[in-house]
Amino acid sequence: MMIGASGLRGIVGEDLNPELVAKFSAAFGQFLGNGLVVVGSDTRPSNQMYRYAVFAGLLSSGCEVVDLGICPTPSLQLMVRNLEAKGGIAITGSHNPSEWNALKFVRPDGLFLYPEEIRQVVRITESKIKRVSWDRIGKVRRDDSAIENHLKKILSLVDQQEIQTRHFKVVIDGCNGAGALITPGLLQKLGCEVIEVNCEPHGYFAHPPEPIPSNLRELSQIVKSEGADLGFSHDADADRVGLVTEKGDILPEDYVLLLVAKFVLSKRKGLVVTNLSTTQALDDLAADFDSRVRRTKVGDIYVARCMRKEKAVIGGEGNGGVIVPEVHYARDGIAAVALILNYLSETGSSLSLLARSLPRYYMVKRKVKVTPGRFPPPREYLKEQFRGARFSFLDGVKIILKEGWIHVRPSGTEPVVRIISEARTREEAESLSRMGMEKVLKVSLEN
Ligand code: MG
């Protein structure tokens, strides 16, 4: 069991047991000061067990519960605000394989709990949780409007008529997750001919539920054989999306943010927010629209908070999780689908052409199983090793050189160090990655 940036996660049948889930839910209820709490889940078979544990915990600390049933995480985040609830709990393993599950805690403003607030909830679990007496136990009521409510908000953002006139043929891979309940309906409303793949929401995932290129092969084949305009694939809770072009080409994950950002900036200049590990292509693209990029620590909560504070026009992460402020400050794979269709209809272009117009970089990602002693290495040493470089020490160390950048960062949830590098060519990116290993990581291990 691990306490992560926005909640707790673990393996079903091992460390993430219902007793623990009930305890954390009760502590979260106490942290919120009771009141209305919205609960929803993705489709995982283990969710039934956790849902009742969450209800029990919340009721025991005096909360009222609104049960949204199976519901994408972004739909739930929006519902918290819509119902003016005190908070929410999303039960979802997100993009992780079936054996994983997690609770994500949502604040009254629809953002995930801040890391310092998670620590407060943990402290409550370590003390004696206050439970209410029999006559103050609230009720669980069912509400099935989360998806409708979310769809309405997304549709209000785009030019529905213009999209409808294109009659796009779209393949949607719902990954047997919560997105299967919303995105096919969105596509229909936008006048698309919809081909559903893995849209039975039973939670027995047809492929690993992460929209990374290696999991999009089936979608790619169906897009080609059906002669579709494009294909979308969600993770299990639909805060992320992956893309396949009309040629069946699987686009790199970060193209989702790049395409949406380009479309949004073409309408309205302004600040773009992303994390330190996201592609430099975003800066190039923003510069074309006289706009800037602000970088945060890795983690969607940092991006969301910064976007709200700085009134960004668009933001998100390179993993296919886009944050559209007009909807909310939450990663939203469904809003991304609507905006990409709007981009296609407005330009009259194909997805492969739009993709080809983006700045091209190569990224190398490495994950090394070590726990560094002293990290990052002394600044003087780094400055000597990387002459003329710019540095950021916001999250691990990011070294920005003429030929590209290297980001070396110990993970917050696993005993690993991530080394991410990017350059104009694969060879240069590989060479930067090796420099990250030799000149940054190895030195910190010797310390
Ligand atoms: Mg997710």
Side-chain angles (χ1 to χ4, degrees):
M1 194 273 296
M2 280 176 284
I3 312 289
S6 55
L8 80 158
R9 65 187 194 115
I11 294 191
V12 182
E14 289 180 21
D15 45 8
L16 191 70
N17 58 49
E19 297 91 311
L20 193 72
V21 164
K23 187 172 163 186
F24 266 83
S25 301
F28 178 58
Q30 183 177 325
F31 167 81
L32 293 174
N34 311 324
L36 202 67
V37 181
V38 171
V39 179
S41 71
D42 70 24
T43 52
R44 275 160 220 265
S46 59
N47 284 341
Q48 184 87 337
M49 168 177 82
Y50 293 126
R51 175 176 296 141
Y52 290 110
V54 166
F55 291 168
L58 287 170
L59 293 172
S60 79
S61 66
C63 297
E64 295 280 336
V65 175
V66 177
D67 174 17
L68 303 180
I70 294 174
C71 173
T73 301
S75 312
L76 178 144
Q77 289 176 267
L78 201 58
M79 239 358 222
V80 168
R81 278 172 50 210
N82 229 44
L83 296 175
E84 293 176 10
K86 279 285 186 68
I89 298 180
I91 309 164
T92 174
S94 192
H95 59 277
N96 294 294
S98 302
E99 63 268 30
W100 286 90
N101 214 327
L103 299 191
K104 285 186 160 184
F105 300 111
V106 181
R107 296 157 45 99
D109 57 11
L111 271 71
F112 290 124
L113 277 196
Y114 298 169
E116 60 269 27
E117 293 170 331
I118 290 280
R119 286 194 288 274
Q120 285 180 49
V121 173
V122 172
R123 273 200 294 276
I124 297 174
T125 65
E126 290 159 355
S127 61
K128 192 167 167 17
I129 301 172
K130 293 188 198 92
R131 315 282 184 169
V132 296
S133 59
W134 70 271
D135 53 344
R136 290 182 50 224
I137 292 174
K139 292 202 161 44
V140 179
R141 82 175 153 84
R142 177 81 188 197
D143 188 321
D144 288 320
S145 65
I147 284 173
E148 197 57 47
N149 172 60
H150 192 189
L151 275 182
K152 222 196 297 170
K153 188 95 185 172
I154 291 173
L155 286 167
S156 73
L157 276 191
V158 294
D159 189 338
Q160 292 183 55
Q161 277 184 335
E162 192 175 64
I163 301 171
Q164 284 159 356
T165 56
R166 285 284 303 270
H167 301 294
F168 289 116
K169 187 171 182 180
V170 182
V171 187
I172 170 70
D173 178 350
C175 196
N176 310 106
L181 298 181
I182 185 166
T183 304
L186 170 74
L187 295 169
Q188 266 146 21
K189 285 206 162 73
L190 292 172
C192 302
E193 183 185 335
V194 186
I195 297 152
E196 297 186 11
V197 180
N198 305 321
C199 278
E200 307 79 22
H202 50 51
Y204 295 94
F205 307 131
H207 54 77
E210 187 170 20
I212 53 174
S214 57
N215 295 330
L216 267 57
R217 291 196 198 105
E218 182 191 10
L219 176 64
S220 154
Q221 262 159 18
I222 297 172
V223 167
K224 262 196 291 193
S225 65
E226 292 283 344
D229 292 297
L230 74 165
F232 293 106
S233 180
H234 285 302
D235 69 330
D237 67 331
D239 58 344
R240 289 168 60 179
V241 71
L243 288 175
V244 169
T245 72
E246 78 285 359
K247 294 184 173 149
D249 293 332
I250 302 168
L251 294 181
E253 290 162 87
D254 50 14
Y255 275 42
V256 182
L257 177 59
L258 293 174
L259 288 165
V260 172
K262 194 168 176 186
F263 177 59
V264 168
L265 290 172
S266 74
K267 309 250 162 228
R268 194 166 141 230
K269 292 172 192 172
L271 186 70
V272 182
V273 178
T274 192
N275 68 48
L276 285 166
S277 284
T278 307
T279 176
Q280 164 75 22
L282 196 57
D283 302 70
D284 296 7
L285 193 143
D288 289 344
F289 295 97
D290 296 318
S291 298
R292 282 180 314 115
V293 177
R294 173 79 55 91
R295 304 246 170 199
T296 70
K297 288 169 82 162
V298 174
D300 56 326
I301 185 61
Y302 299 109
V303 177
R305 272 167 96 167
C306 178
M307 284 180 69
R308 187 170 62 182
K309 183 159 170 271
E310 306 292 339
K311 300 189 171 57
V313 293
I314 191 71
E317 298 179 308
N319 59 11
V322 176
I323 300 174
V324 186
E326 280 109 323
V327 184
H328 50 182
Y329 292 99
R331 286 195 310 199
D332 192 329
I334 307 133
V337 166
L339 288 170
I340 284 169
L341 290 175
N342 204 165
Y343 191 16
L344 284 173
S345 65
E346 198 178 284
T347 51
S349 181
S350 64
L351 184 56
S352 59
L353 272 177
L354 291 183
R356 220 180 299 152
S357 76
L358 296 171
R360 190 80 194 99
Y361 286 92
Y362 292 87
M363 203 181 263
V364 175
K365 295 180 188 179
R366 266 192 215 208
K367 187 163 128 175
V368 190
K369 278 197 179 164
V370 288
T371 312
R374 186 167 156 210
F375 196 89
R379 294 184 186 195
E380 284 315 306
Y381 161 83
L382 288 170
K383 280 178 186 157
E384 216 168 89
Q385 293 295 316
F386 300 95
R387 288 190 187 277
R390 287 187 295 127
F391 295 89
S392 166
F393 296 97
L394 186 62
D395 189 353
V397 56
K398 183 170 177 177
I399 303 150
I400 303 151
L401 297 146
K402 240 188 359 278
E403 63 271 34
W405 55 266
I406 315 163
H407 188 195
V408 187
R409 185 179 76 88
S411 160
T413 49
E414 295 171 80
V416 300
V417 174
R418 294 179 196 282
I419 303 176
I420 298 166
S421 63
E422 192 183 54
R424 284 280 180 193
T425 65
R426 184 168 298 282
E427 294 69 34
E428 272 179 327
E430 292 282 3
S431 136
L432 288 175
S433 182
R434 279 193 299 275
M435 276 161 87
M437 272 298 274
E438 298 294 327
K439 293 188 173 182
V440 185
L441 185 58
K442 272 201 184 153
V443 175
S444 72
L445 295 179
E446 287 155 13
N447 265 319

